[in-house]
């Protein structure tokens, strides 16, 4: 209601009412409007924009708030620290808007992070700083003295750039003796000013009349402008020219060439002669048009731009030579041509965006303006295809460029976004601008190894620290996120940490050996290497690495059979009746190397078997010594030798004397120092003293027990079962089962001999021991004669067949004791299957055996243990 009352009070307040309604509507849409007078001093306050928009000062600072005005000059500046708008440059409303009302500045407040913008309108109110002015300072008329009362003469109108009340309001004409001023309001709000004759002229009384036309505005204070009017009174001319139309209308297409004919005006005069000749003049403040004074043709004299003025209004005067005149009005409408391409202005943009940004993230804000009208000014914008962005219209002439799908820097690290805006004119005009957007990296890719698994080879006995090979992983990310480090995963190989074998370079991925590998200890090595990038959080992947150790021929063959010892020499017996191809023995050897490094060859026969190649004769020497060389197939080759002694005889006694001269191999360390000998002597002395003490106690107990068993005669048999070995012919390992019997002899040269024989064949031990065949053993057992069972030498000493295997005897002792117990429980079994004979001091260390000597014969019995 208040607005309606104001509107009724004064018609000019209608424009203010419209503006206020528009401002209220804009504020409802989140916009702010201000009103300031023109010509304010620089730095003057416009308004508190932070308060009016409801923004915090911190938000304005963090959002880098700024003013965007497009391509127009910036008259207003933003103080982010105070959140206020200030005058940046002096504002001249007339220069800014001309006659347009209301006059306003439109700009936007842009904020980033997130991107926002607000519209601000600042109305510039008029100040009466311009006085009305005339284009010409003088105006001359020639009027006949016969001019009738009421004749009108058009006067030039004044121009006042101010608007509303500050604009031109009225005219005055002085003196008013002969003429009176007539003002006529036009539909466009302007005034038509005419001078009307109100008193007949008399040339004879006053030939020259001077008048002053004053234009007055409505400002405070009032300003005015004047023009001098000179009237020359002519002789009689009683008919004034008359225009054929009161108002002429014409159209002109913008960008029309200079000199184009716009319209032709015409006026007629009823007089004759010179009084009927009419000349035309144009009353206009612009030089864009030219009127031919004789023909009345109105032509274009400059460049017409629809965007500057949509129409023009001018007055035309027709005057005859007698000084009489008439006036008419011409209105020229400018027709728009699509001669302006859309103007694209980047209000705000981001130079980069993270690849994990969500959809609809704003990356740029664009302002588009086309000054053409109607369809020529209707603009549509789009972007290039096949990119994950789209352009959206925020409001009229404003667009936002946003993401519309997922981004992937590894697929496209950069985008060139072309924004093209086209109007609807015919032909259509368009403009384009290209934005470059970098996609910043996010650690979304784990390192990927070049292979799914790695295999490498290294020869044993390598130098520690040797580079074996390199694992390589790539990361599709960028910079720090793509910086790959290699880590050896914790694991163990045969209970030993893998880091004791290999190491990996964190930067290059080169795998080095930490130690020297031995193929015989470890044949392959399997572990995991992790590739980890430098992102936050880091991503990683694993790969399995297998290193195969390659064998070197670094081990010589080892002979398993025949066993070479330093304490005894073994001979294989070949009967003289042996046929050709008789298997004497077989050399068995192994090589811990692998492949061809373990392929063995025997330089006598390749399979290690020793056979006779001809019939044995009596002329052949009894004692044969063979040397077998075992070589592997490595490069270089390694070898081992074994000496095989062969006895060519049919029985043991026949060749026994031939082997008594074999000496035992003994190795002495000649480099022992005095202190080592002294320490060994002390330890030996203490050991002997301890043994003597123990044997003394055991001997005493044994004698007591022997007295109890004295009447029992021979002891029961105690068989000895040595370890079994597999048959060479089938499994490659010797299988020999040994039985031990006791035999003596009265021959001093051949006394104290032991016989050892495997079940399969006879073997002579060169240290004096012989094993008899199974049949001979049975003969000895069944013989009641002591001479067949045991013979004593001159000193009464007896040697047992188990001397060399007393450790084995102790191992199988519980079994032997069981037989002894059975023998004691059945005293009728007087004949022992085997008599174990040895010196008393030799077996005293066996805790359950007692030895006694009766009539030169050593008897063994179970000893009672305290």
């Amino acid at each position: 209601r208040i607005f309606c009352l104001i509107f009724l009070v004064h018609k000019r307040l209608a424009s203010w009412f419209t503006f206020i309604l528009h401002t209220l509507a804009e504020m409802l849409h989140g916009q702010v409007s201000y009103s300031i007078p023109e010509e304010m001093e620089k730095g003057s306050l416009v308004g508190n924009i932070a308060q009016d928009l409801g923004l915090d000062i911190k938000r304005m600072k963090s959002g880098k708030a700024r003013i965007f005005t497009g391509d127009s000059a910036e008259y207003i500046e933003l103080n982010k620290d105070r959140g206020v708008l200030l005058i940046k440059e002096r504002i001249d409303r007339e220069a800014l808007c001309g006659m347009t009302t209301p006059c306003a500045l439109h700009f936007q407040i842009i904020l980033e992070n997130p991107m926002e913008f607000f519209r601000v309108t600042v109305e510039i109110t008029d100040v009466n700083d311009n006085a009305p002015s005339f284009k010409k300072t003088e105006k001359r008329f020639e009027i006949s003295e016969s001019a009738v009362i009421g004749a009108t003469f058009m006067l030039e109108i004044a121009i006042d750039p101010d608007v509303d009340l500050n604009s031109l309001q009225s005219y005055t004409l002085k003196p008013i003796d002969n003429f009176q001023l007539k003002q006529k309001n036009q539909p466009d709000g302007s005034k038509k000013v005419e001078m009307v004759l109100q008193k007949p002229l008399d040339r004879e009384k006053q030939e020259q009349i001077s008048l002053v036309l004053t234009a007055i505005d409505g400002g405070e204070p009032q300003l005015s402008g004047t023009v001098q009017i000179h009237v020359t009174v002519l002789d009689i001319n009683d008919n004034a020219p008359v225009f054929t139309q009161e108002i002429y209308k014409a159209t002109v297409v913008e960008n029309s060439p200079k000199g184009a004919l716009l319209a032709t005006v015409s006026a007629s005069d009823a007089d004759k002669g010179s009084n009927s000749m009419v000349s035309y003049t144009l009353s206009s403040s612009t030089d864009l048009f030219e009127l031919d004074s004789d023909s009345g043709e109105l032509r274009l004299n400059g460049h017409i731009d629809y965007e500057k003025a949509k129409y023009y209004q001018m007055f035309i005067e027709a005057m005859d030579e007698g000084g009489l005149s008439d006036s008419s009005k011409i209105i020229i409408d400018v027709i728009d041509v699509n001669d302006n391409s859309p103007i694209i202005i980047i209000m705000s943009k981001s130079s980069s965006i993270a690849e994990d940004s969500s959809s609809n993230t704003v990356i740029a804000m664009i302002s588009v303006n086309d000054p053409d009208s109607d369809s020529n000014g209707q603009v549509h914008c789009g972007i290039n295809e096949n990119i994950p962005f789209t352009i959206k219209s925020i409001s009229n002439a404003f667009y936002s460029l946003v993401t519309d799908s997922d981004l992937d820097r590894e697929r496209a690290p950069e985008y060139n976004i072309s924004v093209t805006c086209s109007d609807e004119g015919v032909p259509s005009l368009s403009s384009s601008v290209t934005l470059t957007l970098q996609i910043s990296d996010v650690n979304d890719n784990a390192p990927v190894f070049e292979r799914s698994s790695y295999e490498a080879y290294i020869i044993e006995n390598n130098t520690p620290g040797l580079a074996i090979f390199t694992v390589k992983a790539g990361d599709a990310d960028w910079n720090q996120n793509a910086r790959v480090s290699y880590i050896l995963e914790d694991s163990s190989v045969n209970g030993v940490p893998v880091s004791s074998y290999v190491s990996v370079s964190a930067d290059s991925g080169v795998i080095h050996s930490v130690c020297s590998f031995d193929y015989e200890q470890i044949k392959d090595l399997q572990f995991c290497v992790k590739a980890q990038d430098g992102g936050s959080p880091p991503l990683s992947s694993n790969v399995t690495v297998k290193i195969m150790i390659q064998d070197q021929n670094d081990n010589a063959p080892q002979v398993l059979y025949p066993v070479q010892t330093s304490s005894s020499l073994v001979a294989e017996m070949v009967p003289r009746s042996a046929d050709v191809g008789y298997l004497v023995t077989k050399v068995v050897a192994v090589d811990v190397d692998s492949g061809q490094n373990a392929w063995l060859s025997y330089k006598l026969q390749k399979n290690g078997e020793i056979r006779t190649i001809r019939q044995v004769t009596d002329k052949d020497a009894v004692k044969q010594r063979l040397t077998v060389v075992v070589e592997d197939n490595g490069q270089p080759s390694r070898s081992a030798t074994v000496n095989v002694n062969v006895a060519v005889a049919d029985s043991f006694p026949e060749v026994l004397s031939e082997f008594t001269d074999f000496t035992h191999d003994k190795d002495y360390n000649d480099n022992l120092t005095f202190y080592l000998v002294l320490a060994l002597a002390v330890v030996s002395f203490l050991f002997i003293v301890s043994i003597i003490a123990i044997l003394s106690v055991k001997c005493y107990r044994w004698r007591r027990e022997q007295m109890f068993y004295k009447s029992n005669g021979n002891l029961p048999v105690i068989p000895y079962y040595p370890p079994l070995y597999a048959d060479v012919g089938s499994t490659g390992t010797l299988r020999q089962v040994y039985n031990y019997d006791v035999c003596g002899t009265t021959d001093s040269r051949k006394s104290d001999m032991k016989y050892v024989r495997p079940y399969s064949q006879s073997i002579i031990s060169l240290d004096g021991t012989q094993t008899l065949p199974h049949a001979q053993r049975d003969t000895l057992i069944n013989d009641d004669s002591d001479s067949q069972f045991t013979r004593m030498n001159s000193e009464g000493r007896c040697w047992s067949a188990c001397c060399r295997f007393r450790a084995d005897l102790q191992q199988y002792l519980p079994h032997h004791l069981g037989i002894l117990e059975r023998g004691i429980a059945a005293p009728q079994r007087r004949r022992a299957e085997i008599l174990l004979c040895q010196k008393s001091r030799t077996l005293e260390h066996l805790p359950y055996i007692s030895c006694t000597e009766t009539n030169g014969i050593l008897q063994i019995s179970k000893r009672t243990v305290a």
Side-chain angles (χ1 to χ4, degrees):
R1 292 180 180 179
I2 295 175
F3 289 133
C4 292
L5 291 175
I6 295 174
F7 179 74
L8 294 175
V9 172
H10 198 282
K11 185 169 61 176
R12 291 190 178 275
L13 291 180
S15 61
W16 283 93
F17 178 73
T18 303
F19 175 75
I20 293 174
L21 289 179
H22 176 73
T23 302
L24 290 175
E26 293 290 329
M27 292 180 64
L28 291 176
H29 288 83
Q31 300 180 359
V32 178
S33 298
Y34 298 99
S35 179
I36 61 172
E38 64 173 330
E39 306 294 344
M40 290 182 67
E41 293 184 0
K42 185 177 180 180
S44 300
L45 177 66
V46 176
N48 192 328
I49 188 66
Q51 178 180 345
D52 296 337
L53 290 177
L55 296 175
D56 189 78
I57 298 297
K58 294 181 180 179
R59 168 62 180 137
M60 298 190 72
K61 291 181 179 180
S62 63
K64 300 178 181 179
R66 58 188 177 87
I67 290 178
F68 173 76
T69 61
D71 58 349
S72 59
E74 293 186 8
Y75 294 98
I76 308 296
E77 66 179 351
L78 173 64
N79 187 318
K80 290 182 288 187
D81 296 330
R82 297 168 53 194
V84 296
L85 296 176
L86 304 175
I87 298 295
K88 184 178 181 180
E89 297 291 341
R90 187 183 69 86
I91 301 175
D92 184 0
R93 194 208 67 82
E94 290 74 31
L96 181 65
C97 299
M99 301 300 295
T100 303
T101 57
C103 178
L105 292 174
H106 301 279
F107 56 89
Q108 291 78 37
I109 301 294
I110 305 294
L111 288 90
E112 299 178 357
N113 301 320
M115 199 172 290
E116 297 179 280
F117 82 103
F118 303 91
R119 293 183 179 180
V120 180
T121 301
V122 178
E123 184 199 6
I124 310 300
T125 59
D126 186 47
V127 174
N128 191 25
D129 56 345
N130 291 281
S133 61
F134 294 91
K135 184 178 179 182
K136 298 179 180 180
T137 58
E138 291 184 343
K139 179 67 175 178
R140 294 185 178 275
F141 291 96
E142 291 182 349
I143 303 174
S144 174
E145 61 179 342
S146 61
V148 296
I149 295 175
T152 60
F153 303 92
M154 189 182 71
L155 300 179
E156 180 185 356
I157 62 175
I159 302 300
D160 192 337
D162 294 327
V163 295
D164 299 330
L165 292 178
N166 295 327
S167 65
L168 178 64
Q169 298 296 319
S170 62
Y171 294 90
T172 60
L173 183 64
K174 292 181 181 180
I176 56 172
D177 296 337
N178 298 100
F179 296 93
Q180 185 179 4
L181 188 63
K182 181 181 179 181
Q183 302 181 50
K184 185 178 181 181
N185 293 326
Q186 299 296 308
D188 61 351
S190 63
K191 293 179 179 294
K192 182 179 181 181
V193 183
E194 294 178 328
M195 184 175 63
V196 181
L197 182 63
Q198 64 177 354
K199 180 179 178 182
L201 299 176
D202 188 353
R203 185 186 66 82
E204 288 72 23
K205 290 183 178 180
Q206 188 177 8
E207 186 176 358
Q208 299 289 334
I209 301 174
S210 295
L211 304 172
V212 177
L213 178 64
T214 302
I216 305 171
D217 63 22
E220 290 291 340
Q222 287 185 333
L223 300 178
S224 62
T226 60
V227 61
Q228 293 289 330
I229 301 175
H230 301 282
V231 178
T232 301
V233 181
L234 301 176
D235 197 11
I236 188 168
N237 182 20
D238 55 354
N239 289 290
V242 176
F243 278 101
T244 57
Q245 297 179 19
E246 184 177 354
I247 296 177
Y248 290 90
K249 290 187 177 180
T251 59
V252 59
V253 177
E254 70 170 327
N255 301 327
S256 293
K258 184 177 180 180
L261 179 63
L262 304 180
T264 301
V265 297
S266 177
S268 60
D269 193 323
D271 292 329
K272 289 184 179 180
S274 61
N275 291 330
S276 65
M277 298 184 66
V278 178
S279 61
Y280 303 95
T281 58
L282 181 64
S283 175
S284 175
S285 58
T286 178
D287 297 329
L288 290 176
F289 306 98
E290 183 180 32
L291 181 63
D292 191 301
S293 60
D294 296 329
S295 63
E297 293 179 347
L298 183 65
R299 295 182 179 275
L300 186 62
N301 192 40
H303 175 72
I304 291 292
D305 190 353
Y306 175 86
E307 288 69 43
K308 293 183 178 180
K310 296 177 176 56
Y311 66 92
Y312 294 90
Q313 295 184 9
M314 297 168 290
F315 291 97
I316 302 173
E317 181 182 19
M319 179 178 294
D320 60 20
E321 292 187 357
L324 300 180
S325 65
D326 189 14
S327 63
S328 180
K329 183 178 182 180
I330 183 170
I331 299 175
I332 301 174
D333 293 321
V334 181
I335 300 176
D336 184 38
V337 173
N338 190 26
D339 59 343
N340 292 280
S341 300
I343 301 172
I344 302 175
I345 302 174
I346 305 300
M347 300 169 56
S348 180
K349 70 172 182 177
S350 299
S351 58
S352 65
I353 184 174
E355 62 177 323
D356 61 347
S357 298
S358 60
S359 184
N360 291 322
T361 300
V362 179
I363 61 173
M365 299 183 69
I366 301 172
S367 171
V368 182
N369 179 40
D370 193 325
D372 292 326
S373 64
D374 300 329
S375 61
N376 295 332
Q378 297 296 320
V379 178
H380 300 282
C381 294
I383 61 175
N384 46 318
E385 298 179 351
N386 301 323
I387 59 174
F389 305 97
T390 187
I391 188 168
K392 294 183 178 180
S393 176
I394 302 175
S395 61
N396 187 25
F398 291 97
Y399 296 85
S400 63
L401 192 61
V402 299
T403 60
D404 69 342
S405 62
D406 294 335
L407 303 176
D408 188 359
R409 190 206 66 84
E410 290 70 41
R411 185 176 67 245
E414 180 182 278
Y415 288 95
N416 291 321
I417 306 171
S418 295
V419 180
T420 303
C421 296
S422 304
D423 58 29
E424 296 183 357
V426 179
S428 175
L429 299 179
S430 63
S431 299
S432 62
V433 64
T434 300
L435 304 177
T436 299
L437 182 66
Q438 302 288 337
I439 307 301
S440 60
D441 186 47
V442 173
N443 190 28
D444 56 350
N445 289 277
V448 177
F449 283 95
E450 294 178 347
R451 303 180 189 173
S452 58
S453 64
Y454 289 87
E455 288 188 358
Y457 297 86
I458 184 173
I459 299 176
E460 66 172 333
N461 303 321
N462 59 287
T463 303
L466 177 68
I468 303 175
F469 72 106
T470 302
V471 295
K472 193 68 175 178
D475 196 313
D477 293 322
W478 182 75
N479 204 1
Q480 184 67 24
N481 295 331
R483 187 170 299 167
V484 179
S485 299
Y486 301 92
I487 302 171
L488 184 65
E489 290 285 75
D490 292 334
S491 61
S492 61
V493 178
N494 298 331
V496 179
V498 70
S499 58
S500 300
Y501 294 103
V502 294
S503 65
V504 60
S505 174
D507 297 328
S508 63
V510 178
I511 295 179
H512 298 268
S513 63
V514 175
C515 62
S516 178
F517 293 106
D518 185 359
Y519 176 83
E520 288 70 42
Q521 298 295 328
I522 179 171
K523 293 179 173 55
D524 60 70
L525 188 66
Q526 186 165 317
F527 53 91
C528 286
V529 175
K530 179 172 71 175
Q532 179 174 291
D533 61 28
S536 180
L539 300 179
S540 63
S541 61
N542 293 343
V543 70
T544 300
V545 178
K546 186 174 183 181
I547 298 177
M548 272 78 74
I549 313 300
Q550 292 182 325
D551 184 44
Q552 270 189 330
N553 191 26
D554 58 343
N555 291 279
Q558 298 178 1
V559 178
L560 299 180
Y561 184 83
V563 178
Q564 303 291 295
T565 64
S566 61
S567 60
S568 65
L569 295 176
V570 179
E572 305 289 344
M573 190 176 73
V574 178
R576 296 185 181 275
S577 59
D579 296 331
V580 176
Y582 175 81
L583 178 62
V584 178
T585 187
K586 184 170 183 177
V587 177
V588 180
V590 295
D591 194 322
V592 295
D593 291 326
S594 66
Q596 65 179 8
N597 295 330
W599 296 351
L600 303 180
S601 60
Y602 302 83
K603 292 188 176 178
L604 192 60
Q605 289 210 7
K606 292 185 178 179
N607 58 3
E609 294 180 353
I610 301 176
R611 297 179 182 270
T612 59
I613 61 176
R614 62 176 176 81
Q615 186 69 39
V616 180
T617 65
D618 294 337
K619 295 181 179 181
D620 292 327
V622 175
K623 181 171 59 177
Q624 302 284 341
R625 183 180 180 91
L626 306 177
T627 299
V628 179
V629 179
V630 184
E631 286 187 348
D632 58 27
N633 200 36
Q635 292 295 331
S637 159
R638 293 179 179 268
S639 63
T641 61
V642 59
N643 295 322
V644 179
N645 298 291
V646 179
V648 181
D650 292 326
S651 63
F652 293 113
E654 182 180 354
V655 297
L656 184 61
S657 61
E658 296 293 336
F659 288 91
T660 56
D661 57 347
F662 278 80
T663 60
H664 300 289
D665 296 331
K666 297 180 181 179
D667 295 329
Y668 297 95
N669 189 351
D670 297 333
N671 297 324
L672 294 178
T673 63
F674 170 76
Y675 297 104
L676 180 60
V677 173
L678 180 61
L680 181 61
V682 173
V683 173
S684 300
F685 175 76
L686 294 177
F687 177 74
I688 292 173
V689 171
S690 301
I691 292 299
I692 292 175
I694 294 173
L695 291 178
S696 298
V697 175
K698 292 185 179 293
C699 183
Y700 172 76
R701 292 178 179 177
W702 176 77
R703 290 183 180 276
R704 291 180 59 186
E705 293 176 358
Q706 186 66 23
M707 292 176 63
F708 177 77
Y709 297 108
K710 184 176 182 181
S711 61
N712 293 338
N714 294 331
L715 293 175
V717 177
I718 303 177
Y720 171 70
Y721 301 95
L724 301 180
Y725 299 94
D727 188 1
V728 174
S730 60
T731 63
T733 306
L734 295 177
R735 177 187 176 121
Q736 302 286 348
V737 179
Y738 294 87
N739 288 336
Y740 297 90
D741 301 314
V742 179
C743 181
T745 178
T746 58
D747 189 352
S748 61
R749 188 170 56 88
K750 299 293 178 76
S751 63
D752 301 335
M753 177 177 291
K754 293 183 288 183
Y755 299 89
V756 184
R757 186 188 73 83
Y759 282 167
S760 60
Q761 56 183 314
S762 298
I763 299 177
I764 294 177
S765 178
L766 301 184
D767 61 357
T769 302
Q770 178 180 4
T771 299
L772 297 180
H774 193 275
Q776 291 177 330
R777 184 177 65 104
D778 294 340
T779 303
L780 289 176
I781 293 175
N782 296 326
D783 193 352
D784 293 336
S785 175
D786 292 340
S787 62
Q788 291 179 335
F789 183 76
T790 305
R791 292 186 179 91
M792 298 298 299
N793 59 9
S794 59
E795 297 178 358
R797 297 177 180 175
C798 180
W799 296 89
S800 172
C802 64
C803 288
R804 292 177 56 196
F805 303 95
R806 54 182 176 271
D808 294 327
L809 176 63
Q810 188 174 6
Q811 179 180 357
Y812 294 93
L813 189 60
H815 177 67
H816 301 157
L817 294 179
I819 296 176
L820 288 173
E821 290 174 357
R822 288 196 300 274
I824 295 171
Q828 67 275 16
R829 297 178 59 186
R830 297 299 182 185
R831 190 172 307 280
E833 295 180 3
I834 297 177
L835 180 62
L836 302 176
C837 297
Q838 193 171 8
K839 295 179 181 180
S840 300
R841 63 179 181 273
T842 304
L843 291 180
E844 278 300 315
H845 70 283
L846 299 177
Y848 302 106
I849 299 298
S850 296
C851 299
T852 59
E853 184 178 355
T854 304
N855 298 325
I857 298 177
L858 180 65
Q859 295 185 348
I860 302 174
S861 63
K862 178 179 179 183
R863 188 180 66 181
T864 303
V865 180

